[in-house]
Every structure is written in structure tokens, then in C-alpha cells.
Amino acid sequence: MKKHILSYILIVLGGTMTAAAFGLFILPQNFVAGGVTGLSVILQHGIPLPLSWIVFGINILLFVIGWIFAGKEFILKTLIMTFLFPVLLDVFSQIDLFLPLAKDPFLSSLLSGCLLGIGSGIILRANGSSGGFDILGVVLNKKCKIPVSVVMYVCDCTVILLQAVSKPLLQTVYGIIVILCTSIMVNKVITYGRSEVQLMIFSSEHEKIRQELLDTFDLGLTFLHAEGGYHLDPAKVILTILPYHKINDVKKMIYTIDPTAFTVIDNVNYVGGRGFTISR
């Protein structure tokens, strides 16, 4: 029960941040925007209604489509954002606290991209949905087997191109910066706390290193059977995943045992399975 309540709180928090990004920065500074909000900006030229009402109307239409074609289990996860986002967007659009930042549109694009990305990432981490074109993507994926990501990209790119035609070039460029920052921050938030390091060790002293990794550092490992590229000698390569704070100590251990060892370190954004997301 507590877990469900926490997830709803996170969805509300994430929704508040995304609405703030649009209401405080993107819309006041006339940046191009994707999603339902960007489509609403286009439609507002021909529909004499407040932007938040148009957003709400499109969200309701997509919600009904999702309810019919995507199933109740999925669509209920989008219910909060369907109704909450237009209200919050209207609230933040009335706040002019950050209007002075219009003098520095580049800073505004960075701030709005960070807000939008963090908010969207929080919603995704809570297993929620921001609604909008997400629903259309799920429906088309279910009915036509089109990948959700493809639907999202096509919808967003279409909306952005339609806005770019009628907006100055700089507003389009700043809008693209917002989108890039959003993408980066979403990935950072989704993988936060899960990032590990992959370490590969090429050494003739692999057995001593294996014992140290198991006994001293409490790390799991896998032997990969390899072959030298020059002499074609068979070799064993140690592959292990470890947290950042153990890197230096593990490297010292390796080079103490074998000063000629060859090591490769790569960042890993997610690790799942026994010992990580499943108890040993």
C-alpha cells in the first residue's frame, strides 16, 4: 500500500515539474515544443480557447482512445496526468517570476530541459505515464505492431516541424536544446542509483585475482574464454560488475598481483539479476 502511495506522489511531483517547465519557460519564451502541449500551441491559432483547455481536450480524447483500445490497466496509470497537467499548466502560466530570464534564452532552455527531463524521468521511475502521445503509441503498438518509440518520434517531430515553419529560427534552435536536455536528464533520472562499472581483466594470474574478488571484495565474476590475437594462446578473461567506490581498491589489488595485467573499464547504466535486483 505504501509503495502505491509513494508512486502516486512521485507521479504528481514529476507532473508538477513538467508543467512548470512549460508554464514558466517554454511557452512564455515561445520555444518550439513537442507533445500534446506543442500540438495545442498550433491549434490555438484556430481555436479561441485558453491553451490549458485545448491541452485538456486533447488529453481527454487520447484518454478515451486508450480506454477503448489499450485496456483499463494501462490507461488508469495515465489518469492522474490527464487531468492534473492542464490544471498545473494553467497555474504556472500565471506566474511571471522567471520572465526576466527571457533576456537569456539559452539559460532558459537549459533550465526548462532539466525540469522537463527530471519530471518525466520521475514519472517513468514511478511506473506512471505522462499520457498524451504515449497513449497513441501504446494503441498503435497493440493494433499495428508499430514500436511505441517510433510513434512518439513521428508525432513529436511532426509537431515541432509544424511549429518551426511559423516561428523564428532561434526559437526553433532553443526548442531543440530543450529536447536534447530533456532526453539526457530522463536517462540520468531513470538510471540514477543503478549505475555500475563493468571491469574486464586480462591476466595470467587470473586465479589469484579471482580469489581476491570473491573473498576480499565480495564481488561476483564470470570467466570468459578468449584467445590471444598474436600468439593465439588460450586465455581466461575475468568479467565483473562493481560499484564506483570499489574501483580504485580493486585496481590496486590487480596491479599488486600482476603489474602487467590489462584492464578495461566501462560504465554500465543498469544491472539486473541475482546479486543486484534479486537477493542472493
Side-chain angles (χ1 to χ4, degrees):
M1 184 66 179
K2 290 182 178 179
K3 188 175 181 180
H4 288 297
I5 294 174
L6 178 61
S7 67
Y8 288 130
I9 292 173
L10 290 175
I11 291 172
V12 171
L13 174 62
T16 302
M17 296 180 74
T18 58
F22 279 102
L24 296 177
F25 299 103
I26 297 174
L27 297 178
Q29 302 208 30
N30 208 27
F31 296 155
V32 297
V36 167
T37 305
L39 178 60
S40 300
V41 170
I42 297 172
L43 295 177
Q44 195 178 29
H45 295 293
I47 301 176
L49 289 174
L51 183 67
S52 59
W53 289 23
I54 300 175
V55 172
F56 181 71
I58 297 174
N59 277 344
I60 289 295
L61 177 61
L62 290 171
F63 182 85
V64 171
I65 292 173
W67 184 276
I68 296 172
F69 296 104
K72 296 179 181 180
E73 183 177 354
F74 164 78
I75 205 62
L76 285 175
K77 295 179 181 179
T78 71
L79 184 62
I80 295 176
M81 287 301 297
T82 297
F83 291 95
L84 180 65
F85 184 82
V87 175
L88 291 173
L89 180 63
D90 190 54
V91 171
F92 283 113
S93 295
Q94 307 301 319
I95 299 174
D96 56 6
L97 180 64
F98 294 95
L99 283 181
L101 284 178
K103 298 177 181 178
D104 192 343
F106 180 69
L107 177 60
S108 297
S109 64
L110 293 179
L111 289 174
S112 56
C114 288
L115 264 179
L116 190 57
I118 293 172
S120 300
I122 289 173
I123 292 172
L124 292 173
R125 284 199 67 149
N127 294 320
S129 169
S130 58
F133 290 145
D134 288 5
I135 299 173
L136 192 60
V138 171
V139 171
L140 290 177
N141 177 259
K142 186 175 182 179
K143 298 299 180 181
C144 306
K145 305 302 180 184
I146 302 174
V148 176
S149 59
V150 172
V151 177
M152 297 292 296
Y153 282 131
V154 170
C155 290
D156 283 335
C157 287
T158 302
V159 170
I160 289 169
L161 288 174
L162 288 173
Q163 288 183 77
V165 172
S166 59
K167 288 183 183 289
L169 179 61
L170 275 178
Q171 265 65 42
T172 302
V173 172
Y174 288 130
I176 293 173
I177 293 174
V178 172
I179 294 167
L180 292 175
C181 288
T182 299
S183 177
I184 293 170
M185 293 309 298
V186 166
N187 289 331
K188 292 293 183 182
V189 172
I190 290 176
T191 60
Y192 177 75
R194 302 176 184 174
S195 296
E196 307 278 345
V197 171
Q198 174 182 281
L199 174 63
M200 297 182 70
I201 308 165
F202 301 76
S203 171
S204 59
E205 301 290 343
H206 50 75
E207 185 57 34
K208 292 181 180 179
I209 294 174
R210 181 185 79 89
Q211 288 296 334
E212 286 293 318
L213 291 174
L214 292 172
D215 299 337
T216 304
F217 296 97
D218 192 29
L219 295 173
L221 59 93
T222 299
F223 273 127
L224 304 178
H225 294 279
E227 185 177 72
Y230 187 75
H231 294 293
L232 302 181
D233 296 327
K236 285 186 176 181
V237 179
I238 296 175
L239 172 65
T240 184
I241 305 295
L242 64 156
Y244 281 102
H245 67 269
K246 291 187 178 181
I247 294 176
N248 287 333
D249 290 337
V250 169
K251 285 171 62 180
K252 288 178 183 178
M253 176 273 293
I254 293 170
Y255 291 115
T256 299
I257 294 175
D258 182 4
T260 64
F262 183 75
T263 59
V264 178
I265 298 176
D266 287 314
N267 289 322
V268 178
N269 288 326
Y270 176 76
V271 181
R274 187 172 300 279
F276 292 94
T277 56
I278 302 175
S279 299
R280 294 181 180 180

